[in-house]
Amino acid sequence: MEGEKLFLCLIAAIALIFSAFNGVRLVQLQHRTVCVEGKIVSIMMPNPERVRFRNSKWAQVAYRVDGRTYTSQNRVQVPMAARVGTPVTVRYDRKHPDRLYSFSAQRVLAGMCIAAVCAAVMFYLE
């Protein structure tokens, strides 16, 4: 029983640290970034395409800023149903428009929920 509590405590701590880090980054970069709608120009998958479980899609996105079209230097994660040409909303850096950021309040909330569930189960096991 002690091992399970320790494991849940570790998971809760990791989720809380993840949530705090993403929350701080969200606040820091909130005023340095701008949302824009772009289109996927290329997609990369780390595993073969026929593998659907534990796979993800990472896309390079083209978007317009002040009349100029940029293609992102880095890739952002997109839904598995996304295809080339699919519109996506992305955040770019105002000073470096070709650099995308992928932080969100959803990540902060997800980390906090995981930490809360682990803590609740840990206290229930007592």
Side-chain angles (χ1 to χ4, degrees):
M1 201 62 105
E2 279 301 311
E4 293 170 350
K5 288 182 188 177
L6 183 62
F7 178 73
L8 287 171
C9 184
L10 182 67
I11 295 297
I14 290 171
L16 209 55
I17 291 168
F18 173 81
S19 181
F21 176 77
N22 277 292
V24 168
R25 292 292 290 169
L26 180 68
V27 171
Q28 285 178 338
L29 297 174
Q30 189 76 29
H31 301 291
R32 287 186 44 198
T33 61
V34 178
C35 275
V36 69
E37 179 126 337
K39 290 195 185 221
I40 297 174
V41 292
S42 74
I43 293 177
M44 189 253 337
M45 295 175 74
N47 295 323
E49 193 168 331
R50 64 184 178 278
V51 177
R52 301 290 285 174
F53 184 68
R54 293 190 182 164
N55 206 354
S56 59
K57 281 190 176 181
W58 294 83
Q60 236 178 348
V61 180
Y63 50 94
R64 294 183 63 81
V65 177
D66 297 330
R68 185 169 175 209
T69 302
Y70 290 93
T71 301
S72 62
Q73 287 179 347
N74 53 334
R75 293 179 181 268
V76 292
Q77 192 170 10
V78 293
M80 289 298 285
R83 306 240 183 264
V84 173
T86 303
V88 292
T89 302
V90 293
R91 285 188 166 276
Y92 69 90
D93 190 331
R94 288 181 187 203
K95 294 180 181 176
H96 305 282
D98 54 343
R99 192 175 306 150
L100 296 181
Y101 289 106
S102 60
F103 58 84
S104 70
Q106 291 173 338
R107 284 186 182 179
V108 175
L109 291 174
M112 292 173 78
C113 288
I114 290 170
V117 167
C118 288
V121 171
M122 187 176 64
F123 289 119
Y124 176 74
L125 289 175
E126 286 186 3

